[in-house]
Amino acid sequence: MSGSSIPSRQVGGPVLPATYTTASGIPRYNPLSQALHWLTVVLFLAILPLAWVALALPNGETKGTMFVLHKSTGLTILAVVVIRIVWRMISPAPADPKTPKALELIARVNHWLLYAIFLIMPVSGYLLSAFSGRATPYFWLFTIPGLEKNESLHNAFETVHVFGQFAVYLLVALHIAGTAWHLVIRRDGVLERMLPVQDGRGSR
């Protein structure tokens, strides 16, 4: 909006710059939170087909390559989620005064369970491999050494990893269902909070 200025908005608290609120006036997540969220989404969408393809392939070089990519992506998710948790503690999620407290609580529980499972899965994946005596290459850049071979621990972490994937599917499905409900049923602009400014506010 060339030549015009957009006033800040009052959203149940301190005055926020227009670029920090959505078109409906609710607080928007800051750009770093948005970037980390969508990076996690991209990594999640990448890691699943890598695992499915790797498991379907016969033993050989291609299968090994797919597993390296799968494990490396998993370790990247681990690092990103740790950063997200630290950043969430530094910069808490903005409160949405238009969402009932019960729904806000459900959303926060779902988010923290997602954080937990996205930590559990790469850690259990590394340990099941490490306790089989194998090292873990990270995108062929460096190698994380394995541990002393221990079949019982390998089997335990393999079980955690296998069952953990179903927790991932469930929690991600709930997250998507909740987002779709906000988008289609409530039409309250919640999804917009996690998107960059789309309406030109703040531009000159």
Side-chain angles (χ1 to χ4, degrees):
M1 296 183 180
S2 178
S4 65
S5 61
I6 308 234
S8 301
R9 301 191 184 192
Q10 180 76 24
V11 189
V15 176
L16 299 173
T19 52
Y20 284 88
T21 60
T22 67
S24 59
I26 58 178
R28 188 187 299 274
Y29 283 86
N30 62 63
L32 180 56
S33 295
Q34 292 178 6
L36 291 171
H37 172 271
W38 293 110
L39 177 58
T40 305
V41 171
V42 170
L43 292 169
F44 170 74
L45 293 176
I47 199 169
L48 291 180
L50 287 172
W52 297 333
V53 171
L55 290 171
L57 289 171
N59 291 333
E61 185 177 346
T62 303
K63 187 184 187 78
T65 297
M66 296 302 292
F67 267 119
V68 169
L69 292 173
H70 173 73
K71 294 175 183 179
S72 300
T73 304
L75 292 173
T76 305
I77 290 175
L78 175 62
V80 170
V81 171
V82 168
I83 294 170
R84 287 187 68 177
I85 292 172
V86 172
W87 179 241
R88 187 73 174 259
M89 292 177 177
I90 296 171
S91 179
D96 178 7
K98 296 185 179 181
T99 299
K101 294 297 182 184
L103 292 179
E104 188 174 354
L105 177 61
I106 292 171
R108 289 185 184 276
V109 169
N110 180 258
H111 275 101
W112 284 106
L113 288 176
L114 278 168
Y115 287 151
I117 199 63
F118 281 143
L119 293 175
I120 290 169
M121 288 299 285
V123 169
S124 62
Y126 164 72
L127 289 174
L128 77 85
S129 181
F131 280 119
S132 67
R134 294 193 296 269
T136 300
Y138 182 76
F139 289 119
W140 300 277
L141 299 174
F142 58 86
T143 299
I144 302 173
L147 302 170
E148 184 177 350
K149 195 169 184 178
N150 187 314
E151 186 174 355
S152 61
L153 287 174
H154 163 78
N155 292 338
F157 285 112
E158 185 175 40
T159 299
V160 171
H161 200 67
V162 169
F163 282 97
Q165 68 178 310
F166 297 107
V168 171
Y169 300 151
L170 175 62
L171 291 170
V172 170
L174 288 173
H175 186 63
I176 293 172
T179 302
W181 182 72
H182 279 286
L183 183 65
V184 177
I185 305 299
R186 294 197 83 215
R187 298 183 180 181
D188 52 11
V190 163
L191 177 61
E192 190 185 346
R193 302 175 76 202
M194 193 53 81
L195 296 173
V197 177
Q198 301 292 311
D199 54 12
R201 285 175 298 157
S203 63
R204 294 182 181 276

